[in-house]
PDB file of all heavy atoms in Angstrom:
ATOM      1  N   GLN G   1      25.856  -7.941   9.126  1.00  0.00           N
ATOM      2  CA  GLN G   1      24.698  -7.726  10.004  1.00  0.00           C
ATOM      3  C   GLN G   1      24.072  -6.354   9.782  1.00  0.00           C
ATOM      4  O   GLN G   1      22.845  -6.215   9.747  1.00  0.00           O
ATOM      5  CB  GLN G   1      25.138  -7.881  11.462  1.00  0.00           C
ATOM      6  CG  GLN G   1      23.977  -7.818  12.456  1.00  0.00           C
ATOM      7  CD  GLN G   1      24.438  -8.056  13.879  1.00  0.00           C
ATOM      8  OE1 GLN G   1      25.634  -8.194  14.117  1.00  0.00           O
ATOM      9  NE2 GLN G   1      23.512  -8.111  14.806  1.00  0.00           N
ATOM     10  N   GLN G   2      24.933  -5.354   9.595  1.00  0.00           N
ATOM     11  CA  GLN G   2      24.425  -4.012   9.328  1.00  0.00           C
ATOM     12  C   GLN G   2      23.689  -3.957   7.988  1.00  0.00           C
ATOM     13  O   GLN G   2      22.628  -3.331   7.871  1.00  0.00           O
ATOM     14  CB  GLN G   2      25.587  -3.020   9.336  1.00  0.00           C
ATOM     15  CG  GLN G   2      25.170  -1.562   9.178  1.00  0.00           C
ATOM     16  CD  GLN G   2      26.351  -0.616   9.277  1.00  0.00           C
ATOM     17  OE1 GLN G   2      27.485  -1.059   9.472  1.00  0.00           O
ATOM     18  NE2 GLN G   2      26.100   0.663   9.151  1.00  0.00           N
ATOM     19  N   GLN G   3      24.287  -4.629   6.979  1.00  0.00           N
ATOM     20  CA  GLN G   3      23.625  -4.665   5.671  1.00  0.00           C
ATOM     21  C   GLN G   3      22.276  -5.367   5.763  1.00  0.00           C
ATOM     22  O   GLN G   3      21.289  -4.935   5.151  1.00  0.00           O
ATOM     23  CB  GLN G   3      24.529  -5.375   4.658  1.00  0.00           C
ATOM     24  CG  GLN G   3      25.772  -4.576   4.286  1.00  0.00           C
ATOM     25  CD  GLN G   3      26.697  -5.344   3.381  1.00  0.00           C
ATOM     26  OE1 GLN G   3      26.443  -6.523   3.076  1.00  0.00           O
ATOM     27  NE2 GLN G   3      27.771  -4.693   2.925  1.00  0.00           N
ATOM     28  N   GLN G   4      22.262  -6.463   6.527  1.00  0.00           N
ATOM     29  CA  GLN G   4      20.994  -7.173   6.686  1.00  0.00           C
ATOM     30  C   GLN G   4      19.956  -6.314   7.395  1.00  0.00           C
ATOM     31  O   GLN G   4      18.775  -6.310   7.043  1.00  0.00           O
ATOM     32  CB  GLN G   4      21.228  -8.474   7.465  1.00  0.00           C
ATOM     33  CG  GLN G   4      22.019  -9.527   6.678  1.00  0.00           C
ATOM     34  CD  GLN G   4      22.324 -10.740   7.507  1.00  0.00           C
ATOM     35  OE1 GLN G   4      22.045 -10.775   8.704  1.00  0.00           O
ATOM     36  NE2 GLN G   4      22.910 -11.769   6.874  1.00  0.00           N
ATOM     37  N   GLN G   5      20.454  -5.569   8.412  1.00  0.00           N
ATOM     38  CA  GLN G   5      19.524  -4.685   9.111  1.00  0.00           C
ATOM     39  C   GLN G   5      18.996  -3.593   8.185  1.00  0.00           C
ATOM     40  O   GLN G   5      17.809  -3.266   8.184  1.00  0.00           O
ATOM     41  CB  GLN G   5      20.219  -4.069  10.326  1.00  0.00           C
ATOM     42  CG  GLN G   5      20.499  -5.069  11.429  1.00  0.00           C
ATOM     43  CD  GLN G   5      21.279  -4.450  12.574  1.00  0.00           C
ATOM     44  OE1 GLN G   5      21.735  -3.312  12.473  1.00  0.00           O
ATOM     45  NE2 GLN G   5      21.423  -5.203  13.669  1.00  0.00           N
ATOM     46  N   GLU G   6      19.908  -3.028   7.371  1.00  0.00           N
ATOM     47  CA  GLU G   6      19.484  -1.997   6.421  1.00  0.00           C
ATOM     48  C   GLU G   6      18.523  -2.570   5.390  1.00  0.00           C
ATOM     49  O   GLU G   6      17.532  -1.943   5.024  1.00  0.00           O
ATOM     50  CB  GLU G   6      20.721  -1.406   5.738  1.00  0.00           C
ATOM     51  CG  GLU G   6      21.605  -0.584   6.671  1.00  0.00           C
ATOM     52  CD  GLU G   6      22.858  -0.096   5.980  1.00  0.00           C
ATOM     53  OE1 GLU G   6      23.078  -0.521   4.816  1.00  0.00           O
ATOM     54  OE2 GLU G   6      23.620   0.671   6.591  1.00  0.00           O
ATOM     55  N   LEU G   7      18.836  -3.797   4.933  1.00  0.00           N
ATOM     56  CA  LEU G   7      17.957  -4.445   3.957  1.00  0.00           C
ATOM     57  C   LEU G   7      16.579  -4.729   4.559  1.00  0.00           C
ATOM     58  O   LEU G   7      15.543  -4.531   3.910  1.00  0.00           O
ATOM     59  CB  LEU G   7      18.607  -5.737   3.470  1.00  0.00           C
ATOM     60  CG  LEU G   7      17.845  -6.526   2.405  1.00  0.00           C
ATOM     61  CD1 LEU G   7      17.636  -5.664   1.155  1.00  0.00           C
ATOM     62  CD2 LEU G   7      18.566  -7.808   2.051  1.00  0.00           C
ATOM     63  N   SER G   8      16.594  -5.173   5.796  1.00  0.00           N
ATOM     64  CA  SER G   8      15.319  -5.456   6.454  1.00  0.00           C
ATOM     65  C   SER G   8      14.487  -4.190   6.602  1.00  0.00           C
ATOM     66  O   SER G   8      13.259  -4.186   6.382  1.00  0.00           O
ATOM     67  CB  SER G   8      15.573  -6.076   7.825  1.00  0.00           C
ATOM     68  OG  SER G   8      16.269  -7.305   7.686  1.00  0.00           O
ATOM     69  N   ALA G   9      15.143  -3.090   6.939  1.00  0.00           N
ATOM     70  CA  ALA G   9      14.412  -1.816   7.057  1.00  0.00           C
ATOM     71  C   ALA G   9      13.855  -1.376   5.713  1.00  0.00           C
ATOM     72  O   ALA G   9      12.712  -0.889   5.603  1.00  0.00           O
ATOM     73  CB  ALA G   9      15.331  -0.749   7.619  1.00  0.00           C
ATOM     74  N   GLN G  10      14.669  -1.553   4.675  1.00  0.00           N
ATOM     75  CA  GLN G  10      14.226  -1.178   3.317  1.00  0.00           C
ATOM     76  C   GLN G  10      13.068  -2.057   2.873  1.00  0.00           C
ATOM     77  O   GLN G  10      12.083  -1.573   2.287  1.00  0.00           O
ATOM     78  CB  GLN G  10      15.409  -1.310   2.360  1.00  0.00           C
ATOM     79  CG  GLN G  10      15.092  -0.868   0.928  1.00  0.00           C
ATOM     80  CD  GLN G  10      16.290  -0.986   0.025  1.00  0.00           C
ATOM     81  OE1 GLN G  10      17.348  -1.454   0.445  1.00  0.00           O
ATOM     82  NE2 GLN G  10      16.153  -0.562  -1.213  1.00  0.00           N
ATOM     83  N   GLN G  11      13.186  -3.355   3.153  1.00  0.00           N
ATOM     84  CA  GLN G  11      12.104  -4.271   2.790  1.00  0.00           C
ATOM     85  C   GLN G  11      10.816  -3.917   3.548  1.00  0.00           C
ATOM     86  O   GLN G  11       9.712  -3.977   2.989  1.00  0.00           O
ATOM     87  CB  GLN G  11      12.526  -5.712   3.098  1.00  0.00           C
ATOM     88  CG  GLN G  11      13.611  -6.239   2.160  1.00  0.00           C
ATOM     89  CD  GLN G  11      14.082  -7.615   2.547  1.00  0.00           C
ATOM     90  OE1 GLN G  11      13.829  -8.067   3.665  1.00  0.00           O
ATOM     91  NE2 GLN G  11      14.767  -8.304   1.632  1.00  0.00           N
ATOM     92  N   ALA G  12      11.018  -3.577   4.826  1.00  0.00           N
ATOM     93  CA  ALA G  12       9.837  -3.198   5.612  1.00  0.00           C
ATOM     94  C   ALA G  12       9.181  -1.946   5.044  1.00  0.00           C
ATOM     95  O   ALA G  12       7.944  -1.844   4.976  1.00  0.00           O
ATOM     96  CB  ALA G  12      10.245  -2.972   7.065  1.00  0.00           C
ATOM     97  N   GLN G  13      10.030  -0.992   4.636  1.00  0.00           N
ATOM     98  CA  GLN G  13       9.490   0.243   4.040  1.00  0.00           C
ATOM     99  C   GLN G  13       8.760  -0.062   2.737  1.00  0.00           C
ATOM    100  O   GLN G  13       7.668   0.477   2.466  1.00  0.00           O
ATOM    101  CB  GLN G  13      10.644   1.235   3.799  1.00  0.00           C
ATOM    102  CG  GLN G  13      10.199   2.576   3.250  1.00  0.00           C
ATOM    103  CD  GLN G  13       9.331   3.344   4.238  1.00  0.00           C
ATOM    104  OE1 GLN G  13       9.450   3.130   5.453  1.00  0.00           O
ATOM    105  NE2 GLN G  13       8.441   4.181   3.753  1.00  0.00           N
ATOM    106  N   GLN G  14       9.381  -0.922   1.911  1.00  0.00           N
ATOM    107  CA  GLN G  14       8.726  -1.283   0.652  1.00  0.00           C
ATOM    108  C   GLN G  14       7.411  -2.017   0.895  1.00  0.00           C
ATOM    109  O   GLN G  14       6.419  -1.794   0.201  1.00  0.00           O
ATOM    110  CB  GLN G  14       9.689  -2.160  -0.163  1.00  0.00           C
ATOM    111  CG  GLN G  14      10.906  -1.411  -0.692  1.00  0.00           C
ATOM    112  CD  GLN G  14      11.878  -2.316  -1.412  1.00  0.00           C
ATOM    113  OE1 GLN G  14      11.728  -3.547  -1.378  1.00  0.00           O
ATOM    114  NE2 GLN G  14      12.878  -1.722  -2.075  1.00  0.00           N
ATOM    115  N   LEU G  15       7.445  -2.907   1.890  1.00  0.00           N
ATOM    116  CA  LEU G  15       6.217  -3.635   2.204  1.00  0.00           C
ATOM    117  C   LEU G  15       5.121  -2.687   2.690  1.00  0.00           C
ATOM    118  O   LEU G  15       3.938  -2.814   2.301  1.00  0.00           O
ATOM    119  CB  LEU G  15       6.511  -4.691   3.275  1.00  0.00           C
ATOM    120  CG  LEU G  15       5.336  -5.555   3.725  1.00  0.00           C
ATOM    121  CD1 LEU G  15       4.729  -6.315   2.542  1.00  0.00           C
ATOM    122  CD2 LEU G  15       5.762  -6.521   4.820  1.00  0.00           C
ATOM    123  N   LEU G  16       5.551  -1.711   3.532  1.00  0.00           N
ATOM    124  CA  LEU G  16       4.571  -0.725   4.020  1.00  0.00           C
ATOM    125  C   LEU G  16       3.997   0.087   2.866  1.00  0.00           C
ATOM    126  O   LEU G  16       2.775   0.330   2.802  1.00  0.00           O
ATOM    127  CB  LEU G  16       5.240   0.191   5.047  1.00  0.00           C
ATOM    128  CG  LEU G  16       4.367   1.288   5.634  1.00  0.00           C
ATOM    129  CD1 LEU G  16       3.152   0.684   6.349  1.00  0.00           C
ATOM    130  CD2 LEU G  16       5.166   2.148   6.593  1.00  0.00           C
ATOM    131  N   GLN G  17       4.903   0.485   1.962  1.00  0.00           N
ATOM    132  CA  GLN G  17       4.415   1.245   0.794  1.00  0.00           C
ATOM    133  C   GLN G  17       3.487   0.400  -0.062  1.00  0.00           C
ATOM    134  O   GLN G  17       2.471   0.907  -0.585  1.00  0.00           O
ATOM    135  CB  GLN G  17       5.606   1.719  -0.037  1.00  0.00           C
ATOM    136  CG  GLN G  17       6.436   2.792   0.656  1.00  0.00           C
ATOM    137  CD  GLN G  17       7.651   3.203  -0.164  1.00  0.00           C
ATOM    138  OE1 GLN G  17       7.936   2.597  -1.207  1.00  0.00           O
ATOM    139  NE2 GLN G  17       8.346   4.245   0.291  1.00  0.00           N
ATOM    140  N   ALA G  18       3.793  -0.880  -0.225  1.00  0.00           N
ATOM    141  CA  ALA G  18       2.937  -1.763  -1.020  1.00  0.00           C
ATOM    142  C   ALA G  18       1.571  -1.912  -0.357  1.00  0.00           C
ATOM    143  O   ALA G  18       0.527  -1.894  -1.032  1.00  0.00           O
ATOM    144  CB  ALA G  18       3.600  -3.130  -1.183  1.00  0.00           C
ATOM    145  N   ILE G  19       1.566  -2.035   0.989  1.00  0.00           N
ATOM    146  CA  ILE G  19       0.290  -2.156   1.705  1.00  0.00           C
ATOM    147  C   ILE G  19      -0.531  -0.879   1.560  1.00  0.00           C
ATOM    148  O   ILE G  19      -1.746  -0.914   1.328  1.00  0.00           O
ATOM    149  CB  ILE G  19       0.557  -2.476   3.180  1.00  0.00           C
ATOM    150  CG1 ILE G  19       1.181  -3.897   3.304  1.00  0.00           C
ATOM    151  CG2 ILE G  19      -0.707  -2.376   3.999  1.00  0.00           C
ATOM    152  CD1 ILE G  19       1.620  -4.240   4.706  1.00  0.00           C
ATOM    153  N   GLN G  20       0.192   0.239   1.726  1.00  0.00           N
ATOM    154  CA  GLN G  20      -0.506   1.512   1.593  1.00  0.00           C
ATOM    155  C   GLN G  20      -1.080   1.689   0.179  1.00  0.00           C
ATOM    156  O   GLN G  20      -2.201   2.193  -0.007  1.00  0.00           O
ATOM    157  CB  GLN G  20       0.449   2.671   1.923  1.00  0.00           C
ATOM    158  CG  GLN G  20       0.820   2.727   3.405  1.00  0.00           C
ATOM    159  CD  GLN G  20       1.833   3.808   3.702  1.00  0.00           C
ATOM    160  OE1 GLN G  20       2.447   4.359   2.775  1.00  0.00           O
ATOM    161  NE2 GLN G  20       2.025   4.115   4.993  1.00  0.00           N
ATOM    162  N   GLU G  21      -0.292   1.291  -0.792  1.00  0.00           N
ATOM    163  CA  GLU G  21      -0.773   1.392  -2.178  1.00  0.00           C
ATOM    164  C   GLU G  21      -1.972   0.471  -2.408  1.00  0.00           C
ATOM    165  O   GLU G  21      -2.949   0.858  -3.087  1.00  0.00           O
ATOM    166  CB  GLU G  21       0.369   1.021  -3.126  1.00  0.00           C
ATOM    167  CG  GLU G  21       0.027   1.142  -4.618  1.00  0.00           C
ATOM    168  CD  GLU G  21      -0.254   2.579  -5.013  1.00  0.00           C
ATOM    169  OE1 GLU G  21       0.296   3.503  -4.346  1.00  0.00           O
ATOM    170  OE2 GLU G  21      -1.000   2.792  -5.994  1.00  0.00           O
ATOM    171  N   LYS G  22      -1.917  -0.708  -1.830  1.00  0.00           N
ATOM    172  CA  LYS G  22      -3.026  -1.655  -1.960  1.00  0.00           C
ATOM    173  C   LYS G  22      -4.274  -1.100  -1.286  1.00  0.00           C
ATOM    174  O   LYS G  22      -5.403  -1.181  -1.844  1.00  0.00           O
ATOM    175  CB  LYS G  22      -2.629  -2.981  -1.307  1.00  0.00           C
ATOM    176  CG  LYS G  22      -3.650  -4.098  -1.497  1.00  0.00           C
ATOM    177  CD  LYS G  22      -3.759  -4.508  -2.948  1.00  0.00           C
ATOM    178  CE  LYS G  22      -4.672  -5.682  -3.124  1.00  0.00           C
ATOM    179  NZ  LYS G  22      -4.842  -6.078  -4.532  1.00  0.00           N
ATOM    180  N   GLU G  23      -4.039  -0.505  -0.104  1.00  0.00           N
ATOM    181  CA  GLU G  23      -5.182   0.086   0.602  1.00  0.00           C
ATOM    182  C   GLU G  23      -5.755   1.246  -0.206  1.00  0.00           C
ATOM    183  O   GLU G  23      -6.975   1.440  -0.254  1.00  0.00           O
ATOM    184  CB  GLU G  23      -4.734   0.569   1.992  1.00  0.00           C
ATOM    185  CG  GLU G  23      -4.429  -0.576   2.948  1.00  0.00           C
ATOM    186  CD  GLU G  23      -3.973  -0.061   4.292  1.00  0.00           C
ATOM    187  OE1 GLU G  23      -3.666   1.159   4.391  1.00  0.00           O
ATOM    188  OE2 GLU G  23      -3.869  -0.865   5.261  1.00  0.00           O
ATOM    189  N   LYS G  24      -4.891   2.008  -0.836  1.00  0.00           N
ATOM    190  CA  LYS G  24      -5.344   3.137  -1.659  1.00  0.00           C
ATOM    191  C   LYS G  24      -6.180   2.644  -2.832  1.00  0.00           C
ATOM    192  O   LYS G  24      -7.256   3.201  -3.131  1.00  0.00           O
ATOM    193  CB  LYS G  24      -4.144   3.926  -2.144  1.00  0.00           C
ATOM    194  CG  LYS G  24      -4.513   5.140  -2.976  1.00  0.00           C
ATOM    195  CD  LYS G  24      -3.265   5.893  -3.397  1.00  0.00           C
ATOM    196  CE  LYS G  24      -3.621   7.101  -4.256  1.00  0.00           C
ATOM    197  NZ  LYS G  24      -2.411   7.825  -4.707  1.00  0.00           N
ATOM    198  N   GLN G  25      -5.627   1.602  -3.480  1.00  0.00           N
ATOM    199  CA  GLN G  25      -6.385   1.049  -4.614  1.00  0.00           C
ATOM    200  C   GLN G  25      -7.734   0.498  -4.152  1.00  0.00           C
ATOM    201  O   GLN G  25      -8.773   0.686  -4.822  1.00  0.00           O
ATOM    202  CB  GLN G  25      -5.562  -0.047  -5.301  1.00  0.00           C
ATOM    203  CG  GLN G  25      -4.307   0.476  -5.992  1.00  0.00           C
ATOM    204  CD  GLN G  25      -3.463  -0.632  -6.567  1.00  0.00           C
ATOM    205  OE1 GLN G  25      -3.805  -1.818  -6.413  1.00  0.00           O
ATOM    206  NE2 GLN G  25      -2.359  -0.252  -7.248  1.00  0.00           N
ATOM    207  N   THR G  26      -7.724  -0.171  -3.033  1.00  0.00           N
ATOM    208  CA  THR G  26      -8.984  -0.720  -2.506  1.00  0.00           C
ATOM    209  C   THR G  26      -9.959   0.392  -2.173  1.00  0.00           C
ATOM    210  O   THR G  26     -11.177   0.296  -2.465  1.00  0.00           O
ATOM    211  CB  THR G  26      -8.690  -1.556  -1.253  1.00  0.00           C
ATOM    212  OG1 THR G  26      -7.762  -2.615  -1.604  1.00  0.00           O
ATOM    213  CG2 THR G  26      -9.946  -2.164  -0.703  1.00  0.00           C
ATOM    214  N   GLN G  27      -9.429   1.445  -1.552  1.00  0.00           N
ATOM    215  CA  GLN G  27     -10.280   2.572  -1.196  1.00  0.00           C
ATOM    216  C   GLN G  27     -10.849   3.241  -2.449  1.00  0.00           C
ATOM    217  O   GLN G  27     -12.030   3.643  -2.478  1.00  0.00           O
ATOM    218  CB  GLN G  27      -9.481   3.600  -0.367  1.00  0.00           C
ATOM    219  CG  GLN G  27     -10.328   4.718   0.180  1.00  0.00           C
ATOM    220  CD  GLN G  27     -11.401   4.231   1.152  1.00  0.00           C
ATOM    221  OE1 GLN G  27     -11.137   3.337   1.960  1.00  0.00           O
ATOM    222  NE2 GLN G  27     -12.616   4.775   1.082  1.00  0.00           N
ATOM    223  N   GLU G  28     -10.044   3.349  -3.480  1.00  0.00           N
ATOM    224  CA  GLU G  28     -10.523   3.951  -4.730  1.00  0.00           C
ATOM    225  C   GLU G  28     -11.639   3.100  -5.332  1.00  0.00           C
ATOM    226  O   GLU G  28     -12.642   3.631  -5.848  1.00  0.00           O
ATOM    227  CB  GLU G  28      -9.358   4.093  -5.701  1.00  0.00           C
ATOM    228  CG  GLU G  28      -8.370   5.180  -5.298  1.00  0.00           C
ATOM    229  CD  GLU G  28      -7.198   5.266  -6.246  1.00  0.00           C
ATOM    230  OE1 GLU G  28      -7.065   4.357  -7.104  1.00  0.00           O
ATOM    231  OE2 GLU G  28      -6.387   6.227  -6.127  1.00  0.00           O
ATOM    232  N   LYS G  29     -11.491   1.791  -5.293  1.00  0.00           N
ATOM    233  CA  LYS G  29     -12.539   0.913  -5.818  1.00  0.00           C
ATOM    234  C   LYS G  29     -13.825   1.055  -5.021  1.00  0.00           C
ATOM    235  O   LYS G  29     -14.938   1.087  -5.568  1.00  0.00           O
ATOM    236  CB  LYS G  29     -12.060  -0.529  -5.802  1.00  0.00           C
ATOM    237  CG  LYS G  29     -10.995  -0.822  -6.836  1.00  0.00           C
ATOM    238  CD  LYS G  29     -10.587  -2.301  -6.785  1.00  0.00           C
ATOM    239  CE  LYS G  29      -9.522  -2.611  -7.818  1.00  0.00           C
ATOM    240  NZ  LYS G  29      -9.119  -4.012  -7.788  1.00  0.00           N
ATOM    241  N   VAL G  30     -13.645   1.156  -3.702  1.00  0.00           N
ATOM    242  CA  VAL G  30     -14.836   1.327  -2.851  1.00  0.00           C
ATOM    243  C   VAL G  30     -15.532   2.644  -3.181  1.00  0.00           C
ATOM    244  O   VAL G  30     -16.759   2.721  -3.283  1.00  0.00           O
ATOM    245  CB  VAL G  30     -14.440   1.266  -1.369  1.00  0.00           C
ATOM    246  CG1 VAL G  30     -15.609   1.661  -0.485  1.00  0.00           C
ATOM    247  CG2 VAL G  30     -13.970  -0.141  -1.024  1.00  0.00           C
ATOM    248  N   ASP G  31     -14.708   3.687  -3.359  1.00  0.00           N
ATOM    249  CA  ASP G  31     -15.277   4.996  -3.686  1.00  0.00           C
ATOM    250  C   ASP G  31     -15.968   4.943  -5.043  1.00  0.00           C
ATOM    251  O   ASP G  31     -17.051   5.550  -5.229  1.00  0.00           O
ATOM    252  CB  ASP G  31     -14.180   6.071  -3.686  1.00  0.00           C
ATOM    253  CG  ASP G  31     -13.606   6.302  -2.290  1.00  0.00           C
ATOM    254  OD1 ASP G  31     -14.288   5.943  -1.318  1.00  0.00           O
ATOM    255  OD2 ASP G  31     -12.457   6.837  -2.174  1.00  0.00           O
ATOM    256  N   GLU G  32     -15.375   4.244  -5.998  1.00  0.00           N
ATOM    257  CA  GLU G  32     -16.005   4.141  -7.320  1.00  0.00           C
ATOM    258  C   GLU G  32     -17.327   3.412  -7.221  1.00  0.00           C
ATOM    259  O   GLU G  32     -18.332   3.794  -7.862  1.00  0.00           O
ATOM    260  CB  GLU G  32     -15.059   3.406  -8.270  1.00  0.00           C
ATOM    261  CG  GLU G  32     -13.851   4.229  -8.676  1.00  0.00           C
ATOM    262  CD  GLU G  32     -12.913   3.457  -9.561  1.00  0.00           C
ATOM    263  OE1 GLU G  32     -13.182   2.257  -9.825  1.00  0.00           O
ATOM    264  OE2 GLU G  32     -11.897   4.037 -10.013  1.00  0.00           O
ATOM    265  N   LYS G  33     -17.373   2.358  -6.421  1.00  0.00           N
ATOM    266  CA  LYS G  33     -18.628   1.620  -6.266  1.00  0.00           C
ATOM    267  C   LYS G  33     -19.690   2.486  -5.603  1.00  0.00           C
ATOM    268  O   LYS G  33     -20.877   2.463  -5.978  1.00  0.00           O
ATOM    269  CB  LYS G  33     -18.402   0.354  -5.455  1.00  0.00           C
ATOM    270  CG  LYS G  33     -17.622  -0.709  -6.219  1.00  0.00           C
ATOM    271  CD  LYS G  33     -17.445  -1.961  -5.368  1.00  0.00           C
ATOM    272  CE  LYS G  33     -16.699  -3.032  -6.122  1.00  0.00           C
ATOM    273  NZ  LYS G  33     -16.522  -4.257  -5.313  1.00  0.00           N
ATOM    274  N   LYS G  34     -19.262   3.228  -4.601  1.00  0.00           N
ATOM    275  CA  LYS G  34     -20.217   4.107  -3.940  1.00  0.00           C
ATOM    276  C   LYS G  34     -20.766   5.161  -4.923  1.00  0.00           C
ATOM    277  O   LYS G  34     -21.954   5.462  -4.939  1.00  0.00           O
ATOM    278  CB  LYS G  34     -19.561   4.807  -2.744  1.00  0.00           C
ATOM    279  CG  LYS G  34     -19.312   3.888  -1.568  1.00  0.00           C
ATOM    280  CD  LYS G  34     -18.698   4.662  -0.423  1.00  0.00           C
ATOM    281  CE  LYS G  34     -18.470   3.789   0.775  1.00  0.00           C
ATOM    282  NZ  LYS G  34     -17.887   4.546   1.901  1.00  0.00           N
ATOM    283  N   ALA G  35     -19.898   5.720  -5.693  1.00  0.00           N
ATOM    284  CA  ALA G  35     -20.316   6.744  -6.665  1.00  0.00           C
ATOM    285  C   ALA G  35     -21.261   6.147  -7.696  1.00  0.00           C
ATOM    286  O   ALA G  35     -22.282   6.765  -8.093  1.00  0.00           O
ATOM    287  CB  ALA G  35     -19.083   7.355  -7.337  1.00  0.00           C
ATOM    288  N   ALA G  36     -20.992   4.929  -8.142  1.00  0.00           N
ATOM    289  CA  ALA G  36     -21.853   4.273  -9.136  1.00  0.00           C
ATOM    290  C   ALA G  36     -23.225   3.965  -8.550  1.00  0.00           C
ATOM    291  O   ALA G  36     -24.268   4.155  -9.195  1.00  0.00           O
ATOM    292  CB  ALA G  36     -21.185   2.986  -9.624  1.00  0.00           C
ATOM    293  N   ALA G  37     -23.208   3.546  -7.307  1.00  0.00           N
ATOM    294  CA  ALA G  37     -24.496   3.238  -6.656  1.00  0.00           C
ATOM    295  C   ALA G  37     -25.313   4.504  -6.455  1.00  0.00           C
ATOM    296  O   ALA G  37     -26.539   4.517  -6.648  1.00  0.00           O
ATOM    297  CB  ALA G  37     -24.232   2.564  -5.325  1.00  0.00           C
ATOM    298  N   LEU G  38     -24.657   5.552  -6.097  1.00  0.00           N
ATOM    299  CA  LEU G  38     -25.373   6.822  -5.901  1.00  0.00           C
ATOM    300  C   LEU G  38     -25.952   7.325  -7.221  1.00  0.00           C
ATOM    301  O   LEU G  38     -27.096   7.811  -7.276  1.00  0.00           O
ATOM    302  CB  LEU G  38     -24.400   7.855  -5.307  1.00  0.00           C
ATOM    303  CG  LEU G  38     -24.986   9.223  -5.048  1.00  0.00           C
ATOM    304  CD1 LEU G  38     -26.169   9.152  -4.070  1.00  0.00           C
ATOM    305  CD2 LEU G  38     -23.922  10.169  -4.524  1.00  0.00           C
ATOM    306  N   LYS G  39     -25.214   7.222  -8.257  1.00  0.00           N
ATOM    307  CA  LYS G  39     -25.682   7.651  -9.568  1.00  0.00           C
ATOM    308  C   LYS G  39     -26.873   6.823 -10.014  1.00  0.00           C
ATOM    309  O   LYS G  39     -27.840   7.336 -10.589  1.00  0.00           O
ATOM    310  CB  LYS G  39     -24.539   7.535 -10.568  1.00  0.00           C
ATOM    311  CG  LYS G  39     -24.876   8.073 -11.941  1.00  0.00           C
ATOM    312  CD  LYS G  39     -23.666   8.000 -12.852  1.00  0.00           C
ATOM    313  CE  LYS G  39     -24.009   8.559 -14.215  1.00  0.00           C
ATOM    314  NZ  LYS G  39     -22.862   8.500 -15.128  1.00  0.00           N
ATOM    315  N   SER G  40     -26.843   5.524  -9.719  1.00  0.00           N
ATOM    316  CA  SER G  40     -27.957   4.653 -10.089  1.00  0.00           C
ATOM    317  C   SER G  40     -29.204   5.034  -9.327  1.00  0.00           C
ATOM    318  O   SER G  40     -30.295   5.062  -9.897  1.00  0.00           O
ATOM    319  CB  SER G  40     -27.579   3.192  -9.794  1.00  0.00           C
ATOM    320  OG  SER G  40     -28.652   2.346 -10.067  1.00  0.00           O
TER     321      SER G  40
END
């Protein structure tokens, strides 16, 4: 049970990091689009 709890916490942390990374990538794409539009 303790291992499962530790695994669940680790999985949650990894999932959070994956979401944050996805949000970062999305934000970077949005910023790139904004920069391209401004340049145009």
Side-chain angles (χ1 to χ4, degrees):
Q1 186 177 4
Q2 185 177 0
Q3 290 175 356
Q4 291 175 354
Q5 290 176 352
E6 292 176 353
L7 182 59
S8 298
Q10 183 179 3
Q11 290 176 344
Q13 183 65 26
Q14 291 176 351
L15 180 59
L16 179 60
Q17 291 177 354
I19 293 174
Q20 291 176 347
E21 183 65 27
K22 186 66 175 178
E23 289 179 347
K24 182 179 179 182
Q25 293 176 358
T26 302
Q27 187 63 40
E28 288 178 350
K29 289 181 180 180
V30 171
D31 293 340
E32 288 178 358
K33 289 181 179 180
K34 288 181 178 181
L38 180 59
K39 185 177 181 180
S40 177

